[in-house]
Amino acid sequence: MAYQLLTALVMLSPLIKSQPGGGGMGGGGDDTGTTTTSTKCNVAGTSSTYSEYISGDVRIIQASGCANHETICIGKPVCPANDTEAVVYDKNITIPAVPCFNNYNDTSEYEWEGFPVYCLLNSLGIALNGVSFFSPSANTECKDAMGEESNSFDTCGGHAGPTGLYHYHAGPACLIDQLNDSMTVNPNGHSPQIGWAYDGFPVYGAHGLNGEYIEKCSQNTSNSSDCLDNCGGHMQHTIDGFKYHYHIAGPNGDLESSPMYPVPTTSAYPYTFGCFKGIPADWDLIATNNVPDLSCTESGVVDGYEPIAVDGVTELYVGPWQLQTPAPTTTQEEGSSAPTESPVEIQTTDEKSSVGTYGLLFVSLLSVVIITFH
C-alpha cells in the first residue's frame, strides 16, 4: 500500500508544476455592458482615427471615437484591470462649414447667451483626436460632472460612459500637451485649436490672447477685453476667420495624477459648452428631445472666409508617466555592504491556480504515506 501511494505521488508531482489553471468560477469575460458586440479601443491609444473634408456648406468629420492616448479605466466601482472601457464608435459627423449666429432668446433665470446645451448628455463637439466633448453635466439632474465624476477622469482627462463612448468633460490634457499648450502660461499666446463644436464654431485650449488662462467675464479677475460668456466662448476677437470661438476651461491637467488633477473649479463652469451660439447642421447628433426653431441672424465668419479641412491629431501620445521605470528589486549578498540587483521569479496566474488545485491533493496523499509508514 505504501509503495502504491509513493508511486502516485511521483506521478502527480509534475502535474502540480505544469497543469494550467482552469476557467471555473470567477473566469473573466469581455463583458462591456450594452456594447458587447462593439470593438474595444486599444488601451494604449493606437485605435484613434480622424479625418474631415468640406462638402458644400458642411464639414464632414469621420473618426473612430478612440483616443490617441492611454485610456485605462479608473475610479469606478468596477473597472477592467489595466484596461479600457472605451469602444469604437465609427463616427460620421456633419457640422456647418460656415457657421452663423442663432436668434435664440433665453428667458430663464440663467440668461443663457445662446441655445442651452448644458444638461444634454451626449456629444456636443469633437476633439481633433476623434474624442467627444460632453456638456458639464453628469446626469439628467444636471449635476456638475466635476463633482460627480472627476474621480474617474484618467490622467488625460477623459472617461468612458455606460455604452463605452469615451469623452471629455474638461480639458483633454494629453491632446493639449501634444499641441504644446500644457503650460500654465503659454509664451506663444493664444491656445491652438483642439476641436469643433457641433454648431460649427471652433474650440481652442485654455489660454487667451495674452497666453494666460482665459476666464469667465463674470469673474472679478477676468480680462474684460478677452473673457468668456456663459456659452463658453466669445466674439471679442476673430481667429482663423471665425467671429466666435469656444475655449475649454483651465487649468490643464498635470500629466501625472490619476485621476486627473487639477480639474476646473465651479468658477469656470460650464468648462466645455453651456450653450450654442450657432445652429447644428444635424440636431440628432446632440440627442435633444425638442428641436428648436432657430434661424441665422448673422454670419459667424469674416468676409471672404473659405472653409478648409483641418488635420486631425492621431499620432500616438506617450505620457511622461508612461516613461517612468520601476526601481529594480534588490537583495543583499553575504559579505556585501551594498544591495545588488537580483532576478525575481514571478509566479504566473496559471501556476498559482495549479498549486492551489493540486497542492492540497499532494499534502493529503503525503499525510497518508506518513501515517502508513508510521
Side-chain angles (χ1 to χ4, degrees):
M1 178 63 179
Y3 175 81
Q4 292 173 331
L5 288 172
L6 285 171
T7 303
L9 286 172
V10 171
M11 295 176 65
L12 180 60
S13 179
L15 290 176
I16 294 175
K17 181 176 179 60
S18 62
Q19 179 69 23
M25 294 182 64
D30 295 325
D31 181 22
T32 53
T34 60
T35 56
T36 52
T37 60
S38 297
T39 303
K40 262 193 175 183
C41 298
N42 178 271
V43 66
T46 61
S47 305
S48 174
T49 63
Y50 181 100
S51 64
E52 61 175 68
Y53 62 93
I54 307 300
S55 178
D57 60 355
V58 296
R59 184 182 306 272
I60 310 295
I61 302 172
Q62 297 173 327
S64 65
C66 299
N68 65 326
H69 54 70
E70 185 178 85
T71 57
I72 292 178
C73 176
I74 61 164
K76 297 183 179 181
V78 179
C79 270
N82 296 316
D83 202 359
T84 185
E85 291 184 315
V87 299
V88 176
Y89 259 73
D90 290 329
K91 299 177 181 179
N92 191 6
I93 295 164
T94 300
I95 66 175
V98 182
C100 70
F101 292 103
N102 67 53
N103 64 339
Y104 184 80
N105 180 33
D106 188 52
T107 58
S108 74
E109 60 180 307
Y110 301 107
E111 298 181 343
W112 293 108
E113 298 175 66
F115 177 73
V117 295
Y118 70 99
C119 198
L120 296 179
L121 305 181
N122 210 324
S123 303
L124 298 177
I126 185 168
L128 295 181
N129 60 2
V131 173
S132 294
F133 286 124
F134 266 36
S135 77
S137 294
N139 51 41
T140 56
E141 297 177 352
C142 311
K143 294 289 183 68
D144 191 334
M146 294 305 119
E148 298 289 318
E149 298 182 338
S150 62
N151 65 322
S152 66
F153 295 173
D154 58 36
T155 305
C156 292
H159 67 170
T163 62
L165 178 60
Y166 188 82
H167 58 276
Y168 304 118
H169 290 277
C174 296
L175 175 61
I176 287 170
D177 184 46
Q178 203 165 10
L179 294 173
N180 301 313
D181 192 39
S182 62
M183 62 288 290
T184 300
V185 177
N186 189 335
N188 298 316
H190 199 280
S191 289
Q193 184 180 356
I194 60 173
W196 298 98
Y198 283 174
D199 64 358
F201 286 110
V203 181
Y204 294 79
H207 296 107
L209 287 172
N210 62 3
E212 297 182 359
Y213 286 141
I214 191 168
E215 297 180 309
K216 295 274 297 297
C217 296
S218 58
Q219 293 177 256
N220 294 332
T221 55
S222 67
N223 178 350
S224 60
S225 63
D226 192 29
C227 56
L228 304 177
D229 58 28
N230 62 11
C231 288
H234 66 151
M235 55 187 302
Q236 292 166 318
H237 65 89
T238 61
I239 187 169
D240 297 329
F242 294 93
K243 295 180 182 179
Y244 185 90
H245 62 281
Y246 298 97
H247 281 267
I248 299 298
N252 294 325
D254 62 13
L255 302 173
E256 295 178 356
S257 302
S258 179
M260 185 179 77
Y261 178 85
V263 294
T265 63
T266 53
S267 62
Y269 185 90
Y271 322 123
T272 52
F273 313 108
C275 45
F276 275 169
K277 293 292 283 189
I279 304 176
D282 182 1
W283 283 99
D284 288 340
L285 290 175
I286 66 173
T288 182
N289 293 326
N290 300 304
V291 176
D293 183 18
L294 300 179
S295 60
C296 293
T297 60
E298 179 188 344
S299 173
V301 298
V302 299
D303 293 341
Y305 172 79
E306 292 291 336
I308 59 173
V310 174
D311 291 335
V313 182
T314 57
E315 181 181 353
L316 180 65
Y317 174 86
V318 179
W321 74 93
Q322 295 173 275
L323 301 177
Q324 298 173 0
T325 55
T329 302
T330 59
T331 185
Q332 191 80 17
E333 292 184 353
E334 185 177 355
S336 173
S337 59
T340 58
E341 293 188 12
S342 174
V344 178
E345 183 178 353
I346 304 298
Q347 188 180 44
T348 66
T349 301
D350 287 348
E351 288 172 337
K352 291 176 182 177
S353 299
S354 300
V355 173
T357 303
Y358 290 94
L360 292 176
L361 182 56
F362 182 91
V363 172
S364 299
L365 289 172
L366 183 60
S367 300
V368 174
V369 171
I370 292 172
I371 294 170
T372 303
F373 276 109
H374 189 274

